[in-house]
Amino acid sequence: MVEKLDMFCYQCSQTAGETGCTVRGVCGKEPTVARLQDNLLFAIKGISAYLYHARELGYTDPEVDAFLERGFYSTLTNVNFDAAEFVNLALEAGAMNIKTMNLLKKAHIETYGEPVPTEVKVGSVKGPGIIATGHSMKALAELLKQTEGTGVNVYTHSELLPAHGYPGLHKYEHLVGQIGGPWFDQKKTFSKYSAAILGTSNCVLLPLDDYKDRIFTSGVAQLPGVQHIEDYDFTPVIEKAKSLPELEDEPRDTVLTTGFGLSTVLSLAGKIKELVEAGKIRHFFVVGGCDSPKPQAKYYTEFVEKLPQDTVVLTLACGKYRFNDMDLGDIEGVPRLIDLGQCNDAGVGIEIVAALSDLFGMEINDLPLTFVLSWMEQKAAAILWSLLYLGIKDMYIGPIIPGWVNEDILNVLVENYNLTPIGNPEEDIKKMLG
Ligand code: SF4
Ligand code: SF4
């Protein structure tokens, strides 16, 4: 049994036993403050990821930059011992994250066009190939430009699936499909396909020896012993792909639909209103976030499987791989499964929820809508605080309660927001549908 520490901080020379303050800071820092500092740092890391990808496309925001400085500084030794202020800073981080996700969306749309619903075939076709994984649309776009006319096909993996919805990326005929699913299948998937692999961001794993010589990283991603590509010059990746045995034609029976942009969803607004008023759509669910290999994450598959036919699921990020191969059909032309894209497209989700709130003249918390979140890493922390900043209540969260949340923090989240851990899918659905 691993001992649960009240806190852990070893950032200054006063640290207990010269190894770490684990019960209370020698400086007087309380465990809840230490945990809220970690929470703020996690949210800041999440924002930084989105900001990085926006900057890749030339988009920046000085207000967000200034917040990041202030947020980091507030966690330095002997600056701020006030737990309530760290909750305020986390909410402010949520607001800044919304700004950042919107900035990144603007960057994506102005560079590659607004996404449109697009069917993506899963599996390989005959010929040499490169599998691109991660989140960087810029890296994928540069790779597509450089592979055009070379005979090398490009596949997305994990969170690059939504790239297919962008007209400026979809136009490349050699962007032929998707291979694999969420980030954690990569060792199995990359071993199986004799393709070159490009990791463009986080969610790259230390490679197995059998593909270590054909995986490359770019941007912020780096792996020891793996060639890192600078300045988007993917020549070594393309040369590697050409040198490998060709991929084979697979049946490609699985087809995933991605790329629902704000305009597409808003174009359905009139129909959605009519269907809700006629009782044909009973409830909306936002089921999304990061996917996790934890056994508890099976919840999300069962949850969507068991939803009644008069409900609609909005999804985003790689949590969708738990159910995006299911055919949920449609309700008189409104798809029952709407994939908004990457985790940063939570910003689009927020705009859709705001539009639903206008459409029905209701506060967000009064809408027939429930958020069912899955988290893996720190971008999800930023998104959670964005939703809390908007005052959204009664959300469900899994697969586990974050480890840095202690009883005090959980009490705040439950008392103020009724944040609820996922439980049994059937019982949860009953509760959500009232
Ligand atoms: S900042 Fe405080 S809690 Fe952290 S190591 Fe120093 S004394 Fe300990
Ligand atoms: S959605 Fe989350 S877990 Fe999935 S690839 Fe992106 S960051 Fe990683």
Side-chain angles (χ1 to χ4, degrees), residues 135 158-159 183 202-203 290-291 317-318 377 379:
H135 301 80
S158 184
E159 269 301 84
W183 63 275
N202 64 309
C203 291
C290 295
D291 200 0
C318 67
E377 40 78 298
K379 285 191 246 176

